[in-house]
């Protein structure tokens, strides 16, 4: 499935590396990535494909959440459809 | 990829504005459980509920995790028990116990359907069920009861209205050690919907399929935030448009979760109930939406008009977002569950009479209203009669969930806890309705019920 990873917090060195290393270990493919600063907050969005992942979704979410804690950021992973269904007709 | 702004809009709705799915409710028909022996009937009921609902909570949690949207409640509704137990001999309480055990086993907090539909009169089964309600509510934890006493087509069964006044009082007295909280699991309806996923009034109607998934959304906080972002002098057309757009987005979440739950459980999707259901959480209040429109306090003159606009805009926005909309679908005004309404009652802005007017234009009725413990049964019955008249005459659902809190007087505080909230005991009219309620019989259906 395709999922959206969002990262929100204060900018610092190693955020993208921190997230992408987990994805690479888990065999999750990054399809698209964008980052911007919104209201002084660093925000990054990644569109990923988890269909060939070597761990289940719950474990992946857990790893990302833990990495977020380490980096002092909020990292979420959500099925892409929640955004599509809300914003696309 | 989807616009990042939109992605963060969704995340913000969930993390800061209390957007959630209020309930996934699994409706289960118990019609094939009927048996002359009540013990056997209860056993069948327990088995069927636990078998059919086995994966409900787990599936709800899985969806919650995959999509990152909280699903607050997973619940069960069943066929009105008065119908299932009609031909059984024995104590109805056994059935309620079986339902209660099944709910506990599945990990759901409420199971609805301890219900009788008596808008035109009682059958033997209806009578047995109604008489057992006080015992059932006080000796079970999860069972919710409802009684439909009126419809637009049949008129108002005033015998049932009078009896329900007494049943509520009796329940209040039997539950005196716990602030009469058992009364919060009893709803008296006019025009009860058969597919409402919200408790305490949820049951699996007799026109429903074997099993069905109905979903109730929420999101007063999201609507309030959207209105806050408008210019202070925005007119009512702009307010209505904003609410419509927000309701659309909220309902899309409900539709997504409903479709997904239906697919994962292999149970057909029924409806999305597009109600705005408040919680005692700060920023999750329907009253605050009304106040955002320019009222100093909910209950001030203008409140009914504001609520009418809100209710209408929610439906207009929600209806296109879901393939099937049903249940109650509108704004809820459960007084004790809504921070803004609790405050409005405390400061004297919101009265029972104003709430009655508000129920003419929104989706429910007098909901979660604590009144003095010594309120006479005929006064409660008369309150029910008034609400039923509002529902019957306006072709809409109305309900009464009123709690005469044992030992408490007007103005005192009562704590129900959790989603049921807290409140101040509201005064009722002191003049007697006793002779009116004693008449009994039926109030005939209004002329506009003859639509064929």
């Amino acid at each position: 499935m395709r999922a959206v990873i969002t990262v929100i917090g204060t900018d610092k060195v190693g955020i993208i590396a921190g997230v992408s290393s987990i994805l690479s270990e888990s065999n999750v493919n990054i399809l698209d990535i964008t980052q911007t600063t919104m209201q002084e907050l660093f925000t990054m969005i990644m569109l990923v494909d988890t269909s060939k992942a070597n761990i289940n979704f719950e474990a992946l979410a857990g790893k990302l959440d833990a990495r977020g804690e380490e980096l002092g950021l909020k990292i979420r992973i959500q099925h892409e459809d929640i955004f599509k269904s809300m914003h696309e007709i | 990829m989807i616009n990042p702004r939109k992605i963060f809009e969704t995340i913000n709705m969930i993390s800061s504005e209390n957007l959630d799915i209020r309930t996934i409710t699994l409706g289960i028909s118990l019609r094939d459980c009927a048996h002359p022996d009540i013990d056997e009937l209860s056993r069948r009921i327990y088995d069927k509920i636990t078998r059919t609902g086995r994966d409900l909570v787990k599936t709800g949690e899985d969806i919650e995790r995959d999509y990152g949207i909280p699903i607050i409640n997973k619940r069960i509704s069943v066929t009105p028990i008065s119908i299932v137990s009609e031909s059984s001999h024995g104590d109805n309480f056994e059935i309620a116990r079986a339902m209660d055990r099944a709910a506990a086993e599945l990990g759901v907090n409420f199971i609805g359907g301890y219900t009788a539909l008596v808008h035109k009169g009682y059958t033997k089964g209806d009578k047995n069920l109604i008489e057992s309600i006080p015992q059932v509510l006080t000796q079970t934890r999860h069972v919710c009861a409802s009684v439909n006493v009126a419809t637009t087509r049949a008129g108002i069964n005033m015998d049932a209205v009078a009896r329900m006044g007494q049943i509520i009082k009796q329940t209040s007295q039997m539950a005196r050690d716990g602030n009469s909280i058992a009364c919060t699991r009893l709803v008296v309806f006019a025009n009860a919907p058969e597919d409402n996923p919200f408790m305490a009034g949820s049951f699996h109607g007799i026109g429903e399929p074997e099993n069905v998934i109905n979903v109730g959304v929420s999101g007063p906080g999201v609507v309030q935030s959207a209105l806050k972002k408008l210019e202070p002098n925005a007119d009512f057309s702009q307010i209505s448009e904003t609410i419509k757009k927000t309701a659309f987005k909220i309902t899309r979440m409900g539709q997504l979760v409903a479709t997904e739950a239906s697919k994962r459980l292999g149970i057909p999707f029924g409806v999305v109930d597009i109600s705005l259901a408040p919680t005692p959480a700060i920023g999750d209040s329907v009253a605050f939406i009304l106040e955002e429109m320019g009222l100093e306090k909910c209950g001030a003159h203008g409140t009914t008009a504001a609520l009418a606009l809100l209710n209408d805009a929610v439906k207009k926005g929600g209806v296109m977002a879901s393939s099937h909309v049903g249940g109650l679908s509108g704004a809820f005004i459960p007084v004790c569950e809504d921070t803004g309404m609790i405050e409005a009652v405390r400061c004297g802005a919101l009265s029972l009479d104003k709430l009655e007017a508000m129920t003419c234009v929104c989706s429910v009725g007098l909901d979660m209203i604590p009144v003095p413990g010594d309120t006479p049964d005929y006064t409660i019955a008369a309150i029910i009669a008034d609400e039923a008249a509002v529902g019957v005459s306006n072709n809409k659902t109305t309900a009464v969930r009123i709690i005469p809190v044992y030992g408490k007087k007007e103005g005192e505080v009562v704590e129900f806890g959790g989603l049921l909230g807290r409140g101040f005991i509201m005064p009722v009219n002191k003049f007697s309705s006793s002779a009116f309620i004693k008449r009994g019989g039926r109030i005939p259906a209004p002329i506009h019920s003859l639509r064929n």
Side-chain angles (χ1 to χ4, degrees):
Chain A
M1 80 181 200
R2 279 161 47 127
V4 173
I5 296 173
T6 50
V7 181
I8 308 176
T10 321
D11 199 6
K12 63 173 64 163
V13 174
I15 297 178
I16 295 187
V19 176
S20 55
S21 61
I22 292 178
L23 298 179
S24 147
E25 282 162 25
S26 316
N27 201 33
V28 171
N29 190 25
I30 301 171
L31 302 170
D32 199 350
I33 179 165
T34 169
Q35 71 169 68
T36 177
T37 306
M38 278 166 68
Q39 290 154 3
E40 293 169 16
L41 275 182
F42 169 82
T43 61
M44 182 179 79
I45 300 173
M46 272 181 182
L47 182 64
V48 299
D49 180 0
T50 60
S51 53
K52 295 200 177 104
N54 54 25
I55 54 172
N56 67 25
F57 194 79
E58 191 173 7
L60 179 60
K63 276 190 173 185
L64 289 167
D65 190 51
R67 182 60 50 92
E69 296 245 324
E70 283 168 31
L71 295 168
L73 300 154
K74 185 74 203 161
I75 306 182
R76 296 180 175 85
I77 179 164
Q78 290 163 278
H79 196 301
E80 180 194 30
D81 283 355
I82 187 167
F83 305 106
K84 276 184 139 174
S85 68
M86 184 180 272
H87 299 289
E88 290 176 4
I89 297 177
Chain B
M1 188 157 59
I2 308 152
N3 180 332
R5 232 164 240 292
K6 302 221 151 132
I7 288 180
F8 285 111
E9 182 189 348
T10 305
I11 287 175
N12 193 41
M13 281 182 181
I14 296 167
S15 61
S16 320
E17 296 169 355
N18 295 309
L19 173 63
D20 56 48
I21 301 296
R22 184 51 46 83
T23 180
I24 300 182
T25 303
L26 166 61
I28 304 173
S29 167
L30 298 182
R31 278 155 59 175
D32 58 353
C33 294
H35 194 275
D37 175 28
I38 213 137
D39 293 330
E40 174 60 16
L41 168 64
S42 304
R43 197 182 59 74
R44 290 180 177 194
I45 287 176
Y46 176 84
D47 288 348
K48 186 159 188 191
I49 295 171
T50 47
R51 194 173 61 241
T52 317
R54 196 177 47 222
D55 298 325
L56 176 67
V57 171
K58 164 87 172 61
T59 304
E61 286 167 355
D62 287 350
I63 294 174
E64 211 169 341
R65 191 198 55 231
D66 290 355
Y67 291 90
I69 183 157
I71 301 169
I72 308 299
N73 297 303
K74 296 93 188 167
R75 290 166 169 173
I76 305 277
S77 66
V78 297
T79 309
I81 292 297
S82 66
I83 296 168
V84 184
S85 67
E86 187 83 49
S87 51
S88 306
H89 306 285
D91 186 356
N92 258 23
F93 181 62
E94 287 309 313
I95 303 170
R97 273 229 314 237
M99 290 166 70
D100 206 42
R101 278 195 298 122
E105 167 70 24
L106 295 178
V108 301
N109 61 349
F110 289 131
I111 178 165
Y114 201 77
T115 299
L117 311 172
V118 298
H119 32 275
K120 215 164 185 181
Y122 298 112
T123 64
K124 210 174 70 207
D126 294 330
K127 209 158 206 152
N128 284 342
L129 181 128
I130 289 174
E131 296 309 315
S132 68
I133 285 175
Q135 186 196 5
V136 164
L137 292 180
T138 47
Q139 293 177 26
T140 62
R141 292 169 56 109
H142 310 289
V143 177
C144 293
S146 54
V147 177
N148 192 60
V149 295
T151 65
T152 299
R153 285 291 180 118
I156 307 172
N157 178 352
M158 288 298 288
D159 294 322
V161 167
R163 188 70 192 123
M164 287 317 294
Q166 294 162 351
I167 294 282
I168 290 171
K169 276 290 284 192
Q170 216 177 313
T171 307
S172 150
Q173 279 159 14
M174 284 172 69
R176 60 180 165 268
D177 293 335
N179 280 333
S180 305
I181 197 168
C183 293
T184 61
R185 286 187 279 123
L186 171 59
V187 181
V188 185
F189 272 115
N191 292 324
E194 298 207 331
D195 53 5
N196 155 34
F198 288 100
M199 295 294 169
S202 177
F203 62 88
H204 185 73
I206 51 169
E208 295 288 306
E210 182 67 22
N211 304 309
V212 73
I213 289 287
N214 295 320
V215 163
V217 299
S218 178
V222 185
V223 175
Q224 191 202 349
S225 298
L227 292 185
K228 238 189 193 127
K229 287 174 200 143
L230 285 175
E231 296 291 322
N233 58 353
D235 72 6
F236 287 114
S237 302
Q238 289 168 283
I239 288 181
S240 170
E241 280 304 305
T242 304
I243 296 171
K244 275 160 66 178
K245 284 179 191 158
T246 313
F248 178 86
K249 290 174 184 170
I250 294 171
T251 309
R252 292 289 279 183
M253 295 295 93
Q255 176 73 25
L256 173 70
V257 167
T259 315
E260 198 56 32
S262 159
K263 197 171 81 191
R264 293 187 190 193
L265 289 164
I267 290 172
F269 158 63
V271 299
V272 175
D273 187 321
I274 53 175
S275 292
L276 281 187
T279 67
I282 302 291
D284 205 19
S285 154
V286 167
F288 287 162
I289 301 176
L290 306 178
E291 291 172 11
E292 199 63 50
M293 288 189 213
L295 299 164
E296 185 183 354
K297 281 280 169 219
C298 174
H301 295 297
T303 298
T304 311
L307 183 59
L309 181 155
L310 171 66
N311 200 55
D312 181 62
V314 165
K315 287 186 216 168
K316 285 174 177 164
V319 80
M320 194 184 147
S322 169
S323 50
H324 297 279
V325 168
L328 293 161
S329 285
F332 287 0
I333 49 169
V335 177
C336 287
E337 297 175 7
D338 186 304
T339 323
M341 291 203 192
I342 297 167
E343 170 55 20
V345 171
R346 191 200 60 79
C347 71
L350 184 61
S351 68
L352 203 53
D353 293 341
K354 189 62 181 176
L355 280 163
E356 186 180 313
M358 289 161 73
T359 66
C360 299
V361 299
C362 75
S363 70
V364 281
L366 294 172
D367 195 14
M368 286 299 289
I369 300 191
V371 294
D374 61 0
T375 307
D377 59 66
Y378 51 78
T379 300
I380 292 169
I383 291 170
I384 296 170
D386 282 343
E387 268 312 299
V390 167
V392 163
S393 292
N394 291 300
N395 246 316
K396 70 181 286 290
T397 302
T398 48
V400 173
R401 182 157 58 140
I402 195 165
I403 308 112
V405 185
Y406 188 89
K408 295 265 184 196
K409 304 234 167 330
E410 183 182 325
E412 286 187 68
V413 180
V414 57
E415 294 279 350
F416 295 121
L419 278 180
L420 296 171
R422 61 195 287 270
F424 296 89
I425 307 286
M426 297 184 76
V428 297
N429 196 306
K430 299 282 182 292
F431 295 91
S432 173
S433 318
S434 167
F436 178 76
I437 292 301
K438 268 198 198 125
R439 287 180 187 276
R442 279 192 286 150
I443 293 183
I447 187 71
H448 60 252
S449 69
L450 303 172
R451 300 174 89 178
N452 289 342

